[in-house]
Amino acid sequence: MTVDARPSHFWTVNYTGFVILTASILGGGAGQGYWTDHLVEILMLPAVFIGITNIGHSRFETAGRAFALFVLAFLALQFLPVSTPKSLPVFAGLDHLELWTASPEKSLNSATFLACLVGFGLFVSLMPDEQHQRLVKFVFLGLAIHMLIGLIQLSYSANTAADGYLPFIIRSGLFSNENHLSAFVFAAIPLVAWRFLSLEARPLVYIVAALLIVGFLFAVGSRAGMALSAGLSVFCLFWFMLARKPISYRLVYVALGAAIFLFVMAQNGMDTALEGDLRQVFFKNTLKAIQDHWLFGTGIGTFTLVYPYYQPDSEIINVYANHAHNDLLEFYLEGGVLAGLILVSGAVLVVKNMFRSPLAQAGALSVFALGIHSIVDYPLRTFANAATLTVLFAIILSVKPAPKPDTNSIGY
């Protein structure tokens, strides 16, 4: 009798779905050190252990496995006794540590966050496509919960912000920020399209569902949510209607749609949480910091330590920047060239593998929508959105066929 490390029993989907649902309900804050995030990480531990230790059984191809190992090595590098140039005064007291990162405690928090996601993604990659499809139902359940709570909040004319229930103030759905709620909601639109346009061929149901989602985000008031949900709903409708067209035809459609959307975004902007041109100020200051730390980065999770030294005195009394409001710039500042390689290689892997199945295509559209939003905000700093992206990323990269379970084996 052999021991089979592949998750093959019925509880696997329910456990994984429970983690996804818990992350979506408790993971709406974008700060560091929340007990809710740590609770989700603890729930993930069995999946993380199984996923990492059984990477050889993953359905990822060689490139996907190498990517996962590269990300884990990047996280481990932060704590190696390797000194990198640190020219800012804030680093002076840390020189004796001679670590890659400037702030081990902040990097430990971020590394734990990312390592759990990598391991969880590897665990999801062990599942067959049938189980992947069942996981989408838990994403839909999280979507329904947030929309229901959001509608209740919108029914009150007064401020419905709730404090004391979670370690962050609940302002929209169960999120601390309406833009991050919007990201969670519009990321589900391609999955809804897959469900009702590809799996069941019920376009009328999709149109009604899309109108409800878009209408909800218009009521929430996030301009990013309005633009992305409306554009993504129409895009997904035609994308799946063109399913029988050659891939090259659909790629041209993608390029045209992206160009139109980026033009509209540039003309009208997408910010709601910031007044005026503050995002542009954050971008400019972050780019200045990147010029000094482009090679090695400053260490993951250290943005709040570094940014003040590149912030003009005139801004200090008016604005506190907890994030760059651009996940891509912030990650590059903290991780340097290696972080840039992670971003580029991750995008290449998604494009390379997205056509393996209709669900993978829907997942890729969600991933790219979150990526576009990340250019003007930081939705992936919330566990809810990061966990959703991780599951979709794993589904896209699970190219290899799932081995048939051994009836004589003992599964987890």
Side-chain angles (χ1 to χ4, degrees):
M1 182 178 294
T2 60
V3 177
D4 185 5
R6 297 185 301 272
S8 56
H9 286 278
F10 71 95
W11 68 266
T12 306
V13 171
N14 294 327
Y15 159 70
T16 309
F18 176 72
V19 173
I20 294 171
L21 184 60
T22 303
S24 68
I25 292 174
L26 299 181
Q32 284 188 329
Y34 293 143
W35 65 262
T36 47
D37 288 353
H38 294 321
L39 176 60
V40 177
E41 290 166 355
I42 292 172
L43 291 175
M44 281 184 173
L45 282 180
V48 172
F49 176 78
I50 295 174
I52 293 177
T53 58
N54 291 282
I55 190 171
H57 295 285
S58 170
R59 293 177 59 198
F60 291 176
E61 293 183 321
T62 302
R65 297 178 191 182
F67 176 78
L69 292 174
F70 179 60
V71 175
L72 292 175
F74 167 76
L75 300 178
L77 179 65
Q78 305 296 313
F79 307 99
L80 292 183
V82 179
S83 180
T84 59
K86 302 177 179 68
S87 58
L88 300 180
V90 70
F91 300 141
L94 301 169
D95 287 346
H96 67 282
L97 295 176
E98 296 184 349
L99 296 181
W100 184 285
T101 178
S103 177
E105 64 276 10
K106 288 185 174 293
S107 292
L108 180 61
N109 214 309
S110 296
T112 302
F113 179 91
L114 291 173
C116 285
L117 291 174
V118 172
F120 191 67
L122 288 170
F123 180 76
V124 172
S125 76
L126 299 172
M127 302 178 183
D129 287 345
E130 295 78 10
Q131 292 184 351
H132 286 168
Q133 294 180 9
R134 291 176 61 189
L135 289 180
V136 175
K137 296 180 180 180
F138 291 92
V139 177
F140 289 160
L141 180 56
L143 171 67
I145 291 173
H146 282 291
M147 289 185 64
L148 177 60
I149 294 175
L151 289 173
I152 293 174
Q153 293 168 336
L154 291 170
S155 67
Y156 291 90
S157 58
N159 185 2
T160 57
D163 194 6
Y165 298 98
L166 295 175
F168 50 85
I169 299 176
I170 301 172
R171 292 189 172 89
S172 190
L174 289 173
F175 283 78
S176 62
N177 184 302
E178 70 272 11
N179 287 334
H180 299 166
L181 169 67
S182 297
F184 181 84
V185 172
F186 69 63
I189 291 176
L191 301 178
V192 175
W194 161 79
R195 181 73 170 79
F196 294 113
L197 295 178
S198 178
L199 196 62
E200 295 188 8
R202 299 168 66 184
L204 183 59
V205 176
Y206 167 73
I207 292 173
V208 172
L211 287 174
L212 289 174
I213 293 174
V214 173
F216 171 75
L217 291 183
F218 269 74
V220 168
S222 166
R223 289 172 63 187
M226 297 177 198
L228 279 166
S229 63
L232 195 58
S233 296
V234 176
F235 186 91
C236 289
L237 177 63
F238 286 99
W239 176 267
F240 285 102
M241 286 178 63
L242 298 174
R244 297 188 179 184
K245 296 290 185 180
I247 291 178
S248 58
Y249 186 94
R250 298 170 76 186
L251 289 177
V252 171
Y253 172 66
V254 170
L256 180 62
I260 294 174
F261 176 79
L262 291 175
F263 174 78
V264 173
M265 184 178 71
Q267 294 297 314
N268 298 285
M270 294 179 64
D271 57 341
T272 58
L274 297 176
E275 298 178 357
D277 297 322
L278 289 182
R279 270 193 175 83
Q280 300 301 322
V281 173
F282 290 161
F283 297 167
K284 179 187 67 176
N285 295 338
T286 303
L287 286 170
K288 287 181 182 179
I290 289 175
Q291 290 176 4
D292 290 341
H293 304 280
W294 67 270
L295 182 57
F296 300 103
T298 60
I300 56 175
T302 61
F303 175 82
T304 54
L305 292 178
V306 176
Y307 183 85
Y309 288 90
Y310 294 90
Q311 187 178 27
D313 293 342
S314 59
E315 300 174 17
I316 294 177
I317 61 173
N318 297 321
V319 180
Y320 171 73
N322 59 338
H323 290 288
H325 288 265
N326 183 316
D327 270 334
L328 310 184
L329 286 181
E330 185 170 337
F331 189 49
Y332 191 97
L333 169 61
E334 296 178 342
V337 170
L338 295 180
L341 289 174
I342 289 174
L343 293 173
V344 172
S345 57
V348 170
L349 286 172
V350 170
V351 173
K352 178 178 179 292
N353 298 295
M354 63 179 290
F355 291 101
R356 77 169 194 86
S357 71
L359 178 56
Q361 293 175 34
L365 295 179
S366 296
V367 168
F368 287 131
L370 287 170
I372 291 174
H373 191 204
S374 296
I375 297 175
V376 293
D377 213 327
Y378 49 101
L380 300 182
R381 300 287 165 164
T382 68
F383 222 129
N385 290 326
T388 301
L389 182 140
T390 298
V391 172
L392 297 176
F393 194 82
I395 290 174
I396 297 165
L397 268 59
S398 296
V399 177
K400 297 172 64 177
K404 294 182 179 180
D406 185 355
T407 56
N408 295 321
S409 66
I410 300 176
Y412 282 96

